[in-house]
Amino acid sequence: MSRADDGRDTYREFTEAVNMKPGELSKWLETDESKHVGWRKKGPKAGESVGHESGRRILDLLRRKRAELSEADFRHMRKVVGYVRRHMAQRPSGDVRDTKWRFSLMNWGHDPLKAPLPPPGGPSRR
């Protein structure tokens, strides 16, 4: 597989995993629920959760053209896809509407109440 193919696959998987629109994600990141969920780094960068920080970066990625993306951007996109897939596999039973599990996923751009995530490497459902 060529590097161009890898970028295409990463971009497709990222846009499937991130099912929130930029405006929707931006609005979500301003909520108290968004700001108070997730793991926080220790030390001088303590404060903002890793997921909330990722959500801000996802917004930047969504607003740029694919041709403007760097290798570091593609690495973050792969990180997002991996996080969303792992977290979705840990779905709790019952109504998840007001859970930290859902709120954490939303910080990473995925609202589990929307369409399900396609299987890894599977065809796009768009």
Side-chain angles (χ1 to χ4, degrees):
M1 176 174 7
S2 73
R3 286 183 73 78
D5 290 340
D6 183 45
R8 245 189 334 268
D9 290 343
T10 298
Y11 189 83
R12 177 186 50 79
E13 288 181 354
F14 174 78
T15 58
E16 289 171 348
V18 175
N19 66 2
M20 296 173 74
K21 295 183 181 338
E24 184 181 17
L25 179 56
S26 179
K27 185 176 177 181
W28 164 252
L29 291 172
E30 294 301 318
T31 67
D32 286 340
E33 291 89 347
S34 171
K35 293 175 183 176
H36 292 102
V37 71
W39 180 79
R40 286 166 169 65
K41 295 177 185 174
K42 304 284 187 219
K45 290 192 172 191
E48 182 179 31
S49 74
V50 173
H52 197 272
E53 180 182 2
S54 179
R56 290 185 302 102
R57 182 148 185 210
I58 290 166
L59 274 175
D60 175 57
L61 295 172
L62 291 173
R63 291 176 173 152
R64 287 197 272 148
K65 294 180 178 160
R66 190 181 330 178
E68 298 172 346
L69 300 173
S70 69
E71 184 54 41
D73 294 331
F74 283 107
R75 274 194 307 274
H76 190 72
M77 292 166 102
R78 287 188 290 273
K79 182 177 180 179
V80 170
V81 170
Y83 178 85
V84 170
R85 289 196 187 285
R86 283 189 312 278
H87 211 64
M88 287 295 290
Q90 300 169 358
R91 183 184 182 107
S93 60
D95 183 5
V96 297
R97 189 170 316 278
D98 292 318
T99 62
K100 289 182 179 181
W101 176 83
R102 177 180 177 227
F103 298 161
S104 181
L105 271 167
M106 290 173 69
N107 277 354
W108 288 79
H110 183 83
D111 185 346
L113 299 182
K114 292 185 174 194
L117 189 62
S124 175
R125 293 184 180 178
R126 292 182 183 217

